[in-house]
Amino acid sequence: MNHELLLGWWDTAARDLPWRRPSCTAWGVLISEIMLQQTPVSRVEPIWHEWLARWPVPSAMAASSQGEVLRMWGKLGYPRRAMRLHEAATVIARDFDDVVPSDIETLESLPGIGSYTARAVATFAYGQKCAVVDTNVRRVVARAVHGAGDAGPPSTKRDLRDVEAILPSSQEDAAVFSAALMELGALICTARNQKCADCPLFAECAWQLAGRPAYAGPEKKVQKFAGTDRQVRGRLLDVLRGAPGPVPKLQLDVVWNDITQREKCLVSLLDDGLVEQTRDGLFALPGEH
DNA sequence: AATACGTGGGG
DNA sequence: TCCCCAAGTAT
């Protein structure tokens, strides 16, 4: 891997995203990483600004209710992420003196923070030298290094080894390199319609050299959405987000016809702590009654 | 290892 | 319209 080519490309092509600015705190980086899980940059950016203005430090968020956080999360999707971040903020405020931890192990012990996010925070917020493996990186490595059309199923250990093998030796370059690898996957080496003509690695890309063979791995399953519990849960929660306070059950019942599924989803939301029931039988976002 | 978990934009 | 996909995590 020619690091210079990638780093040079980063200098001219990287997007100016707010969580990449030197002034951005580790807390800001953490929020961005959670929001960006399975969610496009374009939808995250405006919400991220609102969050940083409202909750500049973890303790500020910890002082807000979960319902408040869910409202601010809006329609970013997977609202359990917001709940877990609120939980993480509470732990950080209480146990870590309001400072986002910098070591991977501690980060991974926090709710909602897994291998990727822990490494991303350690790298992008604290400049540590460690491999950061997300879907973009896996795809770039699959092509540029292995000459495959796309990444196969994730294999935590192997994926980590693959990236560690191409990480620059200097700590100074490692963080930028990881960011650049991700950026390349997001802008150039995309899942569909790759822009190989603009790729800084074109000349050394194993996939190009192999004649761009088609993906040969196991078929990828695309998740259905229409008709699933996810859709029903989303609609139920949307009612509560749109209401100023607790709502009667009837207001939830109208969002889905299948009674059995609707009830099941409401129960699961209650189980997940995303919804609460008031003493008088109304339904509300957690902490908002 | 496979599956559940939201939402919306682009081809 | 429908299908794919977008900086994953928890179980």
Side-chain angles (χ1 to χ4, degrees):
Chain A
M1 171 75 60
N2 186 325
H3 299 139
E4 299 310 319
L5 288 174
L6 190 58
L7 297 178
W9 172 80
W10 167 266
D11 285 338
T12 66
R15 292 166 291 180
D16 176 28
L17 300 174
W19 44 86
R20 287 178 177 166
R21 298 199 179 132
S23 59
C24 183
T25 61
W27 172 237
V29 171
L30 174 57
I31 291 177
S32 78
E33 293 301 342
I34 299 292
M35 289 183 168
L36 287 163
Q37 291 169 6
Q38 306 283 282
T39 308
V41 166
S42 59
R43 289 171 52 204
V44 164
E45 210 170 339
I47 309 285
W48 182 89
H49 280 110
E50 292 175 14
W51 277 48
L52 263 291
R54 182 124 189 198
W55 298 304
V57 292
S59 56
M61 179 176 294
S64 291
S65 73
Q66 297 166 309
E68 175 101 47
V69 173
L70 285 175
R71 283 185 192 285
M72 290 288 282
W73 188 258
K75 306 196 81 167
L76 277 186
Y78 293 142
R80 293 192 295 190
R81 288 182 291 168
M83 295 288 282
R84 289 172 180 148
L85 184 50
H86 179 270
E87 228 182 303
T90 305
V91 174
I92 293 168
R94 190 192 61 214
D95 299 342
F96 299 102
D97 197 25
D98 227 10
V99 178
V100 174
S102 59
D103 66 289
I104 293 174
E105 203 171 302
T106 308
L107 284 162
E108 274 195 85
S109 75
L110 297 171
I113 300 186
S115 172
Y116 162 75
T117 303
R119 290 166 172 277
V121 170
T123 299
F124 304 135
Y126 293 109
Q128 292 180 41
K129 179 185 163 188
C130 56
V132 181
V133 183
D134 76 332
T135 187
N136 288 309
V137 171
R138 282 174 19 79
R139 186 172 53 248
V140 171
V141 169
R143 289 179 183 153
V145 177
H146 299 308
D150 199 355
S155 163
T156 312
K157 287 194 141 182
R158 184 174 49 72
D159 294 342
L160 220 44
R161 286 252 180 285
D162 281 352
V163 177
E164 279 165 356
I166 58 175
L167 215 53
S169 53
S170 89
Q171 179 182 335
E172 195 169 309
D173 287 346
V176 183
F177 175 81
S178 289
L181 220 44
M182 290 174 61
E183 190 75 340
L184 191 70
L187 300 181
I188 304 290
C189 195
T190 47
R192 293 173 298 184
N193 305 108
Q194 313 84 21
K195 300 172 182 64
C196 297
D198 301 326
C199 183
L201 304 182
F202 182 86
E204 63 168 281
C205 176
W207 189 42
Q208 292 295 340
L209 267 26
R212 297 177 57 156
Y215 172 67
E219 196 175 332
K220 315 214 176 197
K221 296 168 190 172
V222 181
Q223 291 192 59
K224 294 292 179 208
F225 179 66
T228 62
D229 290 355
R230 282 199 336 286
Q231 181 177 28
V232 181
R233 285 166 55 105
R235 287 196 185 180
L236 291 170
L237 214 48
D238 198 38
V239 170
L240 297 180
R241 273 195 308 261
V247 307
K249 184 154 184 306
L250 184 60
Q251 210 169 319
L252 296 175
D253 289 345
V254 298
V255 304
W256 199 256
N257 282 324
D258 183 332
I259 302 176
T260 307
Q261 189 181 20
R262 189 212 305 152
E263 293 302 315
K264 169 174 169 253
C265 288
L266 184 53
V267 167
S268 76
L269 286 171
L270 289 162
D271 278 349
D272 290 346
L274 288 161
V275 175
E276 285 177 359
Q277 191 159 198
T278 67
R279 254 185 295 291
D280 38 355
L282 302 178
F283 292 86
L285 292 177
E288 295 201 336
H289 57 97

